[in-house]
Structures are given as C-alpha cells and as structure tokens.
Amino acid sequence: MLTSQLKPQQEKSNFIIKTPKGTRDLSPQQMVVREKILDMVVGCFKRHGAKRLDTPAFELKEMLTEKYGEDSGLIYDLKDQGGELLSLRYDLTVPFARYLAMNKVKKMKRYHVGKVWRRESPTIVQGRYREFCQCDFDIAGQFDPMIPDAECLKIMCEILSGLQLGDFIIKVNDRRILDGMFAVCGVPESKFHAICSSIDKLDKISWKDVRHEMVAKKGLAPEVADRIGDYVQCHGGVSLIEQMFQDPRLSQNKQALDGLGDLKLLFEYLTLFGIAEKISFDLSLARGLDYYTGVIYEAVLLQTPTQAQESFNVGSVAAGGRYDKLVGMFDPKGHKVPCVGLSIGVERIFSIVEQRMKTFGQKIRTTETQVFVATPQKNFLHERLKLIAELWDAGIKAELLYKNNPKLLTQLHYCEDMGIPLVVIIGEQEMKEGIIKLRSVASREEVAIKRENLVAEIQKRLSES
C-alpha cells in the first residue's frame, strides 16, 4: 500500500515543498519567452535544411563513459534496478553519434532540441542548471573541408543577431593547433587533455591562476607553462593565422600547420558569408570536451544589453566544433563519419532576455485567446456554450467563464487582465433581433453583427490586427 509508505501527518510538518537542487519550474510567462526563442532558433535550423531527430532521455551507461574527459564525473547514473546500467544523457552530441553508428547513417543534417542532465554545482544566477534544454545543429558526412564548418558559424551569427542580445564575438581555434602548441612547448602527450581543460578555464579565471593549476596541480614544468602563456594570450584575425605560419616553433609541427591551413580556408568562406568581422582566432579557446578533433568555436556576448546589471555575467551563449572520430567509437569496425556542429545555449539566452524584460517591465500575454464569449444576463449558459463551440469549430481561440450567471463587469475585467482583444456579447435583446454584439476590449466600441455573419466578421477582424 502506498499510503503506508507515506509518513504519518505529524512528521510531515517539517517537510519542505521545493524543486530538486539545480532545477526549476517554468511559469506560463517564462514559457512564452522560451517558446519565442526556440521558434527563432529552430526556424534558422530549418532555413539551413536540417531535419529533426529525438533520442531517449537515458542511454546505456557505457555509451556515455570515456566521451567527456574530466567532465565524466558530472554524468547522472540511474540506480541499478537489476536491468541495464543506464545514465541520463549529458548532451545531445554523443546520442547523435550513437544514432548514426547504430543505423549506419553516413550523411545527415539534423537538429535536436531536448533536455540534458549534469551534476553541476548549480549557480542559477549564471543560467547554470542540473537539468537544462539544449538546441543542437550538426552536419554529419564526408564533405570538402571547411564548407559545413563555415555554415555552422553562419548559423550561430544569424541566431545571435536575430535574438538581438547585443554585440557578440565568436572565438575560433583548432584542436590540432592546440595539440601542436602543447607539443612544441614541451607538454608530455599524456598531459594534453589535462592541460587542455586548464586552458579552457581562461575565460573564467586569470592566466596566473591557470598557470598555477597547471604547475601545482597537474605537475607541468614552469618553463613549459610560460611557453604556453606566450601563445594563449594571442587573438586576432587572418593576420594572426599568417603570423602563426611563420612562428619558429609552431611551423615545425605538422598537426598545427594542418589546423592553420584549415582556419585560413575557413576565414576565406566566412568573408564570403559576410561574417568575418564577428570571428576572432583565439589561441586560448580549448573547449574541454574530449571528442573535438578539429575546428572549435564559442560565442560570447561582449556585454549584456542591460548595462546596469554589471554583475550579470553570462559567459558563452553558443559553442561547437568538429568531431570526426566520435561515430567511429560506437562502430564495431571503427567506421568514421566526420561531423561538425553547434549548440545554442538557450538557458543562458533565456536568462538574459528574462532579465531584460524585468528591467524594462514588459508585460507578457500567457494565452492566445482571441475572443471571449460574455453575457450581461442570467440563464444564458446554453447560448454561450452553443456560441463558443461554433467559434472553436471555426478555429477561433475562445474562452468563457465557468459560471452559470457571471457578472458582465467580471467578464470584461477578465478580458482586460488577460489581454483578450474581442468580446462577443449575447443577451435577451440580441437573441430577439438575431444579432450578436462584438466589442473591442481596447477601444470599448461595440457593433451589432448578424448571428450568421459572426464567424466571418471575427476572422476578418483578426486578420487585420
């Protein structure tokens, strides 16, 4: 019996009703804002020819292990209940790679919107949660170099410009340039990943602190750390790429040269797309995830639109990169499917937009009701029900009050509170004359309409508004 498992009443008094740590409910107002943002993002994905995919919220545990490097500790494992060992998905990329390998798909342009789970220590103020929504776009398949990569950056620009979040910059680097840089600076290969995840913190903590972590915690020689320091503080455009081609140390490394060659080509395409000025080649960009193999990128806002909110630091709002070996990890024969993709940080974008709406005191309509069916008299419930069914059947969004005899004023106040634009009023007089009164809530003007013309008249009004 379930009741016997529930605590007796007296013990319940100290029970606090709350959502789990790092999660939250979204109110109707928040859902309206979120839907608008998601519609814009998905609209852009569709404009670029992507098809939608969905995968389970949990995966087999072994599908997720060893794909995320140091972040693997953040994966939520489900309790073993004597069946398969499962974990909640940590991102949408690894499930996509699993899908491609499992179905032997060699080519696909897909988008995926869904929740993911991470055992972060949540700082809700920065838009970081343990359960959050991700919006991904990826291009899988063997294509000529840098064309899909350039399109991914174009998509990021279109979305961030469209959402009008303020000025942004997209930092770009290449995993091969990073690995080449580590090699020529004297980092032992076994430490590449560990040092990479330290470098990845440069946008949050100073070079001094990153250097300390690399030397004190990760055992890197101080002179090696200093050599890395010379590189990671460089950022610029095409001229920096040229400069690195000439760099006495870096130019000796084949991996780094391959990466630089691809970035040079990438910038050529970005110029043709008209977005090169939004992109910065940044040698400190590391993207901690283990699966990246080539170009990596991250978009940051240069300032939040509400300058008063100085403390409101949001960090990166979109990121991605190339991962050519991930699908091969799932394939028994190791068949590779090269992929490149991006993830839009909708939660963070959502925090910014919400913050801005608070600052400017914008009111949000939480319903889309177009017409309210009202009456000034008693005993008109039957007429109202007949009338509202007619509106619903014609595809008109309509509501009424669930009362037999509501007061007219109560009904009109409801329309004003909810932002409903039109009211249809039916009473004794109207019934006698075979008409309905149509009232505009904003201007309070009323017109009499023949009962049979009502639907057409409402549709005409709605199409004009």
Side-chain angles (χ1 to χ4, degrees):
M1 281 291 287
L2 182 64
T3 41
S4 63
Q5 290 165 19
L6 292 173
K7 293 197 177 125
Q9 202 55 46
Q10 64 269 24
E11 284 181 36
K12 263 185 108 167
S13 56
N14 58 8
F15 174 70
I16 300 161
I17 302 180
K18 64 189 260 314
T19 60
K21 201 174 173 182
T23 65
R24 60 170 173 173
D25 296 317
L26 292 171
S27 69
Q29 283 82 356
Q30 290 173 312
M31 283 308 293
V32 172
V33 178
R34 171 171 288 238
E35 227 167 86
K36 273 201 184 121
I37 292 170
L38 288 178
D39 285 351
M40 222 226 90
V41 171
V42 168
C44 179
F45 292 163
K46 288 181 173 174
R47 187 160 64 242
H48 287 262
K51 42 186 90 158
R52 187 167 195 164
L53 185 67
D54 196 19
T55 66
F58 43 82
E59 294 273 347
L60 293 177
K61 185 180 161 131
E62 71 241 38
M63 296 291 167
L64 304 187
T65 41
E66 290 164 29
K67 307 291 189 300
Y68 300 108
E70 284 193 357
D71 289 346
S72 288
L74 302 180
I75 295 174
Y76 267 105
D77 294 330
L78 297 184
K79 187 179 168 196
D80 177 12
Q81 293 178 311
E84 299 171 316
L85 290 181
L86 305 170
S87 299
L88 291 177
R89 64 181 176 207
Y90 179 88
D91 67 4
L92 302 176
T93 313
V94 171
F96 176 51
R98 192 258 314 139
Y99 174 89
L100 293 172
M102 191 175 110
N103 295 290
K104 301 193 167 27
V105 177
K106 295 276 177 273
K107 222 199 275 194
M108 189 180 194
K109 194 190 303 190
R110 81 90 173 83
Y111 74 94
H112 189 173
V113 177
K115 284 188 169 180
V116 299
W117 294 268
R118 298 182 184 183
R119 295 179 44 178
E120 303 259 13
S121 38
T123 47
I124 301 245
V125 64
Q126 279 195 303
R128 262 183 189 273
Y129 298 92
R130 289 183 162 187
E131 173 187 74
F132 55 96
C133 177
Q134 275 195 340
C135 288
D136 284 18
F137 171 99
D138 291 81
I139 300 171
Q142 189 73 56
F143 302 106
D144 287 340
M146 294 300 109
I147 307 171
D149 311 59
E151 185 170 1
C152 284
L153 288 163
K154 177 77 173 95
I155 288 170
M156 269 161 90
C157 282
E158 283 177 28
I159 288 171
L160 294 176
S161 303
L163 290 170
Q164 298 174 324
L165 300 169
D167 216 1
F168 62 90
I169 192 95
I170 302 176
K171 302 175 187 178
V172 171
N173 198 0
D174 193 296
R175 234 11 206 281
R176 292 164 298 175
I177 299 174
L178 271 173
D179 286 350
M181 173 183 81
F182 292 155
V184 302
C185 290
V187 179
E189 202 168 323
S190 59
K191 287 196 161 78
F192 275 17
H193 280 314
I195 297 305
C196 199
S197 54
S198 294
I199 300 285
D200 196 33
K201 296 176 186 160
L202 269 173
D203 58 340
K204 297 179 192 75
I205 58 177
S206 68
W207 164 247
K208 196 169 146 256
D209 293 339
V210 168
R211 183 185 182 281
H212 174 76
E213 180 182 300
M214 295 196 301
V215 175
K217 293 190 186 153
K218 298 191 173 170
L220 199 64
E223 64 276 13
V224 175
D226 291 335
R227 272 179 230 139
I228 292 173
D230 295 339
Y231 286 110
V232 295
Q233 293 171 64
C234 294
H235 48 89
V238 183
S239 57
L240 181 60
I241 297 174
E242 295 299 349
Q243 191 187 318
M244 287 300 146
F245 267 123
Q246 307 306 317
D247 183 87
R249 283 198 292 243
L250 215 50
S251 58
Q252 300 308 302
N253 182 283
K254 184 183 180 309
Q255 247 193 322
L257 287 177
D258 289 348
L260 287 165
D262 271 357
L263 281 192
K264 192 178 171 184
L265 186 59
L266 178 69
F267 266 94
E268 199 181 301
Y269 298 156
L270 298 176
T271 306
L272 296 169
F273 279 155
I275 56 169
E277 76 287 348
K278 287 275 179 215
I279 318 288
S280 159
F281 171 35
D282 190 322
L283 280 151
S284 72
L285 179 66
R287 305 274 310 122
L289 291 172
D290 265 17
Y291 50 63
Y292 290 117
T293 55
V295 174
I296 47 177
Y297 34 82
E298 186 164 288
V300 289
L301 295 186
L302 293 177
Q303 91 280 331
T304 50
T306 49
Q307 286 293 235
Q309 305 296 137
E310 282 305 338
S311 61
F312 194 65
N313 168 28
V314 172
S316 104
V317 285
R322 177 162 281 286
Y323 50 102
D324 287 349
K325 296 180 180 160
L326 189 58
V327 180
M329 287 185 181
F330 289 109
D331 191 283
K333 296 199 175 94
H335 288 309
K336 291 194 180 101
V337 178
C339 299
V340 63
L342 63 103
S343 192
I344 301 292
V346 280
E347 296 292 349
R348 292 184 175 190
I349 290 169
F350 183 46
S351 298
I352 295 163
V353 173
E354 231 184 342
Q355 200 72 25
R356 191 196 302 182
M357 291 178 104
K358 268 196 201 121
T359 310
F360 296 118
Q362 281 165 286
K363 194 173 178 330
I364 303 162
R365 259 201 87 181
T366 51
T367 65
E368 295 180 11
T369 310
Q370 298 161 318
V371 181
F372 188 86
V373 177
T375 181
Q377 275 128 6
K378 290 187 173 176
N379 304 324
F380 267 84
L381 179 63
H382 289 185
E383 290 310 320
R384 281 155 60 218
L385 293 177
K386 260 196 304 204
L387 190 54
I388 199 162
E390 209 176 303
L391 298 181
W392 286 334
D393 292 344
I396 294 165
K397 297 168 182 159
E399 275 187 86
L400 48 63
L401 281 193
Y402 305 127
K403 270 180 141 18
N404 273 311
N405 302 315
K407 293 190 170 68
L408 184 62
L409 204 59
T410 311
Q411 297 170 84
L412 295 177
H413 277 161
Y414 179 80
C415 295
E416 283 179 7
D417 290 346
M418 299 301 289
I420 301 171
L422 297 172
V423 186
V424 295
I425 299 171
I426 182 155
E428 278 165 33
Q429 194 62 36
E430 289 80 12
M431 282 288 286
K432 243 184 244 156
E433 296 172 26
I435 58 159
I436 302 277
K437 280 208 189 105
L438 184 59
R439 176 185 171 107
S440 155
V441 175
S443 69
R444 304 192 172 177
E445 282 169 36
E446 281 183 4
V447 288
I449 310 250
K450 275 199 178 138
R451 177 84 164 78
E452 60 271 22
N453 300 341
L454 180 66
V455 167
E457 178 60 30
I458 289 173
Q459 283 167 335
K460 181 169 158 271
R461 290 257 196 131
L462 292 173
S463 68
E464 286 165 2
S465 63

